[in-house]
Amino acid sequence: NKVKIRGLSPAGQRSYHNGSVLIGVDLSTLNTDGTTFRCRDGSKTIPFSQVNDDFCDCESDGSDEPGTNACPNGKFYCRNIGSVGKTVFSSRVGDGICDCCDGSDEKLNPNSKCKNTCQADAREANKGRQQELDITLKGLSIKKEYIAKAERELREKRASISQIEEEVSKLRHKREEETATRDRLQKEEEEARAALQPAETVTPPPPTPVEEQPASDEQLEEFAEEGEYEEEESAEAEYKPSPSPPTHHAEDERLQPYVEATRKQREVVGDLDRQISEKERSLEDIKKAISQTYGHQNAFYGLLGNCYHADTPEYTYELCPFDKVNQNSKRGGGSTNLGTWSDSDQTDEWKSHQRQMRYTNGLRCWGGPDRSAIVNVLCGSDNVLSNPQEPNKCEYHLNFHTPAACSEEHAQFLRMELSGGSHEEEEDPEAVPVAKGWGLF
Amino acid sequence: VDRGKYKTCSQSSFCTRNRGVTHDGYHIANLHRKSDSQFTADFVSPYLQGRSLTFELTGLLDNTVRVRVVESLPKRYQGPLEVLEPLQEAKLSEKQKSSESTEFTLNSHVTVRIDFYYDGRHTLSANANDFLNFEHLRSKEEDDKIVPSQIPNDEATQPEDYNEAESGPWQRPTKENPKKSGRWEEHFGGHQDTKPNGPTSISMDITFIGSRYVYGIPEHASSLALTPTIRVGDANEREQVTDPYRHYNLDVFEYELNNPMALYGAVPFMIGHGAHGSSAVFWLNSAETWIDVETTTKDASGREKVGTQWISESGNMDIFFIIGPSGHDVLRQYAALTGTTALPPQFTLGYHQCKWNYKDETDVANVDSGFDSHDIPYDVIWLDIEHTDSKKYFTWDQNYFPTPKNMQEKIGDKGRRMVTIVDPHIKREGGYHVHSQAESNNYYVKNKDKNDYDGHCWPGSSSWVDYLKENARDWWEQLFSYYNYQGSTPRLYTWNDMNEPSVFNGPETTMNKDALHLDGVVEHRDVHNLYGMTMVNATARGLIRRHADQNERPFVLSRAFFAGIQKHGAIWTGDNTAGWDHLAVAQPMLLSLGLAGVAFSGADVGGFFGNPDAELVTRWYQAAAFQPFFRGHAHLDSKRREPWLFGEPYTSVIRDAIKSRYQHLPLWYTLFYKNTLTGLPPMRPLFLEFPSEEKIWNNQDQFLVGRELMVVPVTRSQQTTSRVVFPGAQKWYDITDGSSHAGGTEEEVNVPLEKYLVYQQGGTVVPKRERARRTSQHMDTDPFTLQIAVSREGTAEGELYVDDGHTFDFKKGVYSYNQIKLENGNLTYKTLGGVYESQLLIEKIVVYGLSSAPSSVTTVSNEKLDFSYRNGKLVIRKPNLPATREWSLQIKA
């Protein structure tokens, strides 16, 4: 009494035969005469002869017509023996288009020209899988190098931190000493100047020089370039650039040694400041570099500092991973920033799977948003940027193939697919590729 | 909108010269009956300086009277007569002498006035307010000689607000300010209009007697019942409330709602409706036209009336008075003048997916497969201007569309079509074959100096094809041959945009009025509103001619239009905006278009400019699925919005709406066929079907699809309930759940996001195809469902039209038009016309509204059919009756 229902997946068939927990079957009648069928959602019970009779009785869920197109909301399962079974919308059944490699969706269509291509499809698919596997394996071997390099360099970087920090602290200590010396010399100079002052009362105090402005600007720029500067330095900056007031010739000669000593000492302190900020800057760089997420095992670290290019007729697109994406005009229109990397902008697609990088806050579009770029990260045996698109105004999509994105799991999956061949009959209900909630099939 | 870019009446010399200005003294002389159907007379006036024009009054078949005042001089444009169908004349009688149903009285003692009657009842009046004016052709010297005192009663007839400083109608232009007079030269927005023919305007007032509201005169982003522009007080004093409605085809950037400003198209046809029915007026003139609508007043006998004034810049006076007496009558009568809607190829009634711009062939393939993977049907994918090589139409950008034929074949394999854009501006670039051919053969519109008109549009410097020229038209048609349009296939159709025409650096973003057509014979001023349609006509003919047998129906979508566009193509409401107010205004706009004969129209789903949120886009799909032309479109700067991009629950709700459209395609197709018989638009305002229900005369929140369905779209954000008026005496059945509402009631109905309100009227039959398919083409062989809602009397009546869906064979009788009738339990299927051999079946008959289960359902041969009856819903299972042959069933109580 085995009944085969056209258009049902093996899981669906089995559930029916077993009279198990699945609905779609009126359990009360199944074992006696099997003459009725209850719609999956329980909305209706119909004679079993109306299953797959090309009339939709279960209008709310389409469950009585898994093998025809009578229900607008139904699904059809193609067994595709020799290849992989799949579920298609019932709208595809008998519409003249071959959706299943076994031609089962068009089997009842007298005009169907569908041939069984499952074997060829499977061969083709295997060929594709083999190629993909080769690429993946090649990528994985390169990835290993990336990981090793990342481990080595990141370890070195981490190690260098304490070393540099120690150097900085030494320099700071030295700077304190030298600053004290400078302050002392300054004081001596002032005292010497004060000692000479009473004799010179006739000389009016020099007007506050206005021309100090340019020097001050230069100074500020220099500081700005070096990054932040401390309060103390800022205070110093205020008087440092003041040019010596015009002084009496005789006074000059007597003060000269003091002035000279102070000047030299200031240079010493300034030199130390520069050294400190240089060290601090490199420390910051290192800290930033090691704080980034380079993906699982830091495999993507190896891409740092490199840039990759993709061409369209009008532009060359440039991806510098963990830095920026640019669009460079081929007609001499210059370069446009499409976005820069920020760890905090990354979505789960990057954080957990390393599938998608986001580059944000690019150059603002005229009348639109800031440009941004999404880079789809794919496994490759080489680092290749490709397929630049602008699906929405000023929102760019690129594909980036890199060994860093190859995974052992995927290689394993491909190997399994290649060795397994057709394993349709072995599928358990949970694994049947059907829409959620489609219990029967 | 930047209002400063577009003229107001006060900035238009001829509008100011006529608006509300009376001219008594136009009268007729030597009236005589020329034939049974025609009276002629001399049209005379002191204003005409001794010239006499021809006056003609012609009776036409089916209660229509044509009144013409003609100045037969070569310089005066005599058209646009090409928009008229062959007219059949009919006996016309003066009221005193006969009892014909259409009559007129002509009163011309001092000033001519014509009154029209139906069955003795006064329906329309011409020149009751003495606004008639006809500026005959004259030389500048003559014009200069005209002195106000020579004109009888000139001073007395000036309206109170008449301002001497403005150029009055018969005011001699002052030497100090000749420009201001605007009679021989006019300036606007830095552009000069040279007006070599001087003043040539015409004006007439027409009163709709017995009407409370007037409708029509699209295209305006305005209400269905036209908002008055003139307030008439108790003592008949007139106050201008807004500008008159303007007809001047313009590309209006980000148009505003609820005002009378001109838009992309013009149909100078107006319907009046009131307690005694409908009457209408067709003002056949393709020049710039202003139309005033007065508030409703009452005549001496207490009947409501609405006054209107019509002012055109040039051309002859050619007015059709359409007597009705019902709304259905005036639409048939108007269709007899300008034609019915060309039967659309079936696929064009499906869903269209557009975006400015699908970038390349991969993009097209991805969007196409997106529909498949989300189980959303669609029929046509569209390519906007970026698909071309540098905006040179009939070419492809080789970088992004290197294999256009292959691309079309791929989507064609799935039963789909493609539309590419072809605009009227031709890039002036050496080596571009279209330009070089047009230039060397003199196919371009000329400027006032008779050189090729050169303006700015998408491609930069461009010229415009003069489609009024027969040889240019012929050449244009041939550009669509597969040989000339490289990369085109039979799967490719056409979109004509920017054909107002839009000229970026022209006055009001359009062509200069003193540009010249037909080698200098006709000024652009005369044919401005006609221009776009001449292009659509030539394009449609081109699509027909590319097939050797010329047996495939064309499809052209146009933005600009004029009266008669329905014969050539569909239109859409242009560049709307992604806002709830634009969703709401689509209804009155499309209803107004339908009333003016333009039945195949739609608004861009989602709104062209901007970005709709998920709720708006979803509600828009629900509304537009029941509007005639159904296309999603978006601006270049708008985000992608293919139906599946909004996630759940929106994707599912949008899918339901689009699938519902496809299930109702048989109804749509039947309604479009019925339009060719009746002139009735598929999408109708309520008053057309319920003409005596005063409270719905101005209802624009609901609309009908045929008389079968009533649609109540949700047009407000976060709306949870809708107030629904159920007109008539019959029940209304909710098509989504079968629940019913009594006619003559009003109800507050819940509208959660997934709910769209569509009701089937008791007494009707809705033919459907319920199976889901990926395109309309794949439904061709699917069986039908007849969904019957019985009337209170237990009856129902409906039609189903079937043909091959794409050829002109139906014109040779190869179709099947059938009537479905339920009466006394007999369900009959009777062929009303045509013969069509097919295996098409009726797989299911649903009947709503039976009070109890029938005892049996049997065929003529006494075969018992399977049926079920549940909650008032009868389902006859697999009757498998033929859809193209006659049959009957007995449903026994």
Side-chain angles (χ1 to χ4, degrees), chain B residues 489-776:
Chain B
T489 74
R491 290 262 161 193
L492 191 68
Y493 294 81
T494 306
W495 173 15
N496 288 163
D497 194 0
M498 311 295 279
N499 51 345
E500 295 74 25
S502 178
V503 181
F504 292 161
N505 60 342
E508 304 190 77
T509 326
T510 192
M511 190 170 272
N512 300 64
K513 284 177 170 174
D514 53 12
L516 296 167
H517 293 265
L518 292 162
D519 297 317
V521 175
V522 169
E523 274 194 289
H524 183 68
R525 173 187 337 277
D526 300 318
V527 296
H528 176 82
N529 288 345
L530 180 70
Y531 177 80
M533 190 171 87
T534 62
M535 178 197 193
V536 183
N537 188 0
T539 302
R541 283 197 44 77
L543 292 180
I544 295 171
R545 285 178 63 181
R546 64 186 178 156
H547 297 274
D549 62 3
Q550 305 204 6
N551 195 31
E552 283 289 322
R553 288 176 234 168
F555 172 70
V556 185
L557 180 75
S558 174
R559 195 170 67 181
F561 57 87
F562 186 65
I565 184 72
Q566 65 270 17
K567 286 181 282 197
H568 312 299
I571 71 106
W572 91 107
T573 59
D575 300 345
N576 60 354
T577 298
W580 290 92
D581 49 351
H582 275 261
L583 166 58
V585 86
Q587 282 157 233
M589 288 181 80
L590 300 178
L591 289 169
S592 299
L593 283 159
L595 288 175
V598 190
F600 199 11
S601 63
D604 282 343
V605 176
F608 178 65
F609 291 114
N611 295 303
D613 63 19
E615 186 196 8
L616 173 58
V617 93
T618 305
R619 291 305 196 184
W620 208 314
Y621 272 102
Q622 288 175 331
F626 290 90
Q627 292 166 356
F629 178 64
F630 185 23
R631 181 184 75 155
H633 185 31
H635 189 272
L636 186 68
D637 292 345
S638 299
K639 281 188 150 321
R640 291 259 168 168
R641 56 169 97 131
E642 286 76 47
W644 54 86
L645 291 179
F646 297 90
E648 292 300 342
Y650 305 101
T651 303
S652 288
V653 177
I654 293 171
R655 178 192 297 116
D656 282 354
I658 297 178
K659 277 192 169 177
S660 179
R661 166 60 166 231
Y662 277 82
Q663 293 185 324
H664 287 94
L665 284 180
L667 173 67
W668 281 103
Y669 199 51
T670 299
L671 288 171
F672 269 100
Y673 177 72
K674 284 174 80 174
N675 173 278
T676 67
L677 308 176
T678 62
L680 289 170
M683 178 179 173
R684 299 175 195 169
L686 299 188
F687 84 84
L688 210 53
E689 297 299 325
F690 303 96
S692 59
E693 295 190 25
E694 282 188 47
K695 69 171 195 282
I696 48 107
W697 282 348
N698 61 349
N699 185 314
Q700 60 184 33
D701 301 327
Q702 306 176 205
F703 63 87
L704 298 163
V705 177
R707 62 183 192 98
E708 286 83 358
L709 301 180
M710 180 169 72
V711 185
V712 193
V714 171
T715 56
R716 278 178 287 119
S717 172
Q718 305 295 316
Q719 190 176 329
T720 55
T721 63
S722 289
R723 184 109 195 126
V724 182
V725 179
F726 296 96
Q730 301 297 344
K731 276 188 179 171
W732 292 90
Y733 294 85
D734 185 324
I735 65 160
T736 57
D737 61 19
S739 65
S740 68
H741 303 263
T745 62
E746 253 186 82
E747 256 178 81
E748 196 86 8
V749 182
N750 286 331
V751 284
L753 184 75
E754 68 278 8
K755 179 80 180 168
Y756 51 92
L757 301 182
V758 180
Y759 302 92
Q760 182 175 350
Q761 186 177 189
T764 66
V765 180
V766 172
K768 296 169 77 178
R769 270 177 164 147
E770 292 190 326
R771 299 179 182 219
R773 294 299 193 179
R774 61 183 113 200
T775 76
S776 66

Side-chain angles (χ1 to χ4, degrees), chain A residues 15-166:
Chain A
S15 320
Y16 180 81
H17 299 150
N18 294 347
S20 68
V21 291
L22 290 178
I23 31 185
V25 180
D26 190 329
L27 296 174
S28 62
T29 55
L30 179 73
N31 294 327
T32 51
D33 54 11
T35 54
T36 59
F37 177 89
R38 196 169 65 201
C39 306
R40 183 180 59 87
D41 63 4
S43 57
K44 222 187 236 180
T45 300
I46 58 171
F48 184 74
S49 59
Q50 290 182 12
V51 173
N52 272 345
D53 71 338
D54 202 26
F55 184 89
C56 189
D57 291 288
C58 302
E59 288 178 326
S60 49
D61 67 6
S63 57
D64 64 315
E65 296 292 318
T68 76
N69 54 42
C71 291
N73 48 353
K75 299 254 168 65
F76 176 85
Y77 179 81
C78 354
R79 294 163 61 84
N80 290 347
I81 293 169
S83 181
V84 184
K86 72 170 174 179
T87 301
V88 300
F89 300 111
S90 61
S91 61
R92 314 295 201 257
V93 176
D95 69 349
I97 299 174
C98 312
D99 293 278
C100 302
C101 66
D102 61 3
S104 57
D105 58 320
E106 298 299 314
K107 203 170 172 186
L108 300 182
N109 177 359
N111 303 319
S112 160
K113 294 185 183 83
C114 298
K115 295 190 184 100
N116 190 321
T117 59
C118 291
Q119 300 286 348
D121 278 14
R123 268 197 305 277
E124 203 53 39
N126 278 348
K127 217 165 109 189
R129 282 191 199 103
Q130 188 60 53
Q131 277 171 2
E132 203 182 333
L133 180 62
D134 292 347
I135 288 170
T136 307
L137 293 176
K138 196 172 164 202
L140 281 169
S141 74
I142 298 172
K143 186 180 178 181
K144 258 187 209 135
E145 292 167 24
Y146 284 2
I147 291 168
K149 186 183 169 207
E151 209 182 312
R152 193 172 62 241
E153 290 190 7
L154 285 169
R155 187 173 349 100
E156 281 167 10
K157 284 217 156 107
R158 258 179 234 110
S160 69
I161 289 176
S162 54
Q163 190 192 323
I164 298 170
E165 273 172 350
E166 200 171 314

Side-chain angles (χ1 to χ4, degrees), chain B residues 20 94 152 154 228 230 245 277 297 403 499 791:
Chain B
E94 285 185 80
D154 185 64
I230 300 279
Y245 289 92
T297 54
T403 59
N499 51 345
S791 68

Side-chain angles (χ1 to χ4, degrees), chain B residues 114-294:
Chain B
I114 318 171
D115 295 307
F116 298 91
Y117 297 81
Y118 175 79
D119 225 2
R121 181 165 49 80
H122 190 185
T123 60
L124 291 164
S125 285
N127 204 32
N129 290 336
D130 294 344
F131 291 157
L132 193 160
N133 188 23
F134 196 114
E135 293 178 338
H136 63 286
L137 284 165
R138 80 283 311 264
S139 68
K140 181 111 174 23
E141 292 68 35
E142 269 182 288
D143 197 45
D144 286 347
K145 280 185 210 140
I146 296 173
V147 179
S149 63
Q150 290 177 343
I151 306 303
N153 300 323
D154 185 64
E155 298 291 323
T157 60
Q158 302 296 2
E160 260 177 60
D161 61 348
Y162 182 73
N163 183 352
E164 295 256 329
E166 298 291 331
S167 58
W170 300 104
Q171 188 88 14
R172 182 210 281 269
T174 55
K175 287 264 155 48
E176 298 76 43
N177 198 354
K179 278 181 193 171
K180 197 168 184 188
S181 90
R183 296 168 72 80
W184 292 87
E185 189 184 3
E186 223 172 328
H187 290 257
F188 182 76
H191 295 274
Q192 180 200 32
D193 176 6
T194 56
K195 304 182 84 167
N197 296 333
T200 55
S201 72
I202 56 171
S203 161
M204 174 72 99
D205 65 83
I206 294 162
T207 312
F208 291 78
I209 314 279
S211 287
R212 178 173 308 165
Y213 296 112
V214 290
Y215 312 81
I217 56 166
E219 181 176 321
H220 299 98
S222 185
S223 50
L224 170 66
L226 294 168
T227 310
T229 59
I230 300 279
R231 187 177 298 128
V232 180
D234 294 338
N236 272 337
E237 73 277 15
R238 303 171 86 255
E239 182 201 345
Q240 298 175 359
V241 187
T242 64
D243 254 5
Y245 289 92
R246 188 182 187 205
H247 271 169
Y248 191 58
N249 294 358
L250 291 175
D251 178 5
V252 182
F253 182 72
E254 295 184 341
Y255 60 77
E256 266 179 43
L257 307 186
N258 303 313
N259 75 50
M261 286 173 74
L263 284 180
Y264 311 94
V267 183
F269 174 66
M270 184 186 277
I271 296 176
H273 183 78
H276 291 285
S278 300
S279 56
V281 165
F282 176 41
W283 173 268
L284 179 53
N285 191 297
S286 52
E288 181 185 349
T289 298
W290 297 84
I291 305 157
D292 262 323
V293 172
E294 296 177 0

Side-chain angles (χ1 to χ4, degrees), chain A residues 7-12 75-78 85-88 427-441:
Chain A
L8 278 191
S9 71
K75 299 254 168 65
F76 176 85
Y77 179 81
C78 354
K86 72 170 174 179
T87 301
V88 300
E427 279 170 354
D428 77 42
E430 295 306 312
V432 176
V434 294
K436 267 200 187 126
W438 200 256
L440 180 57
F441 310 122

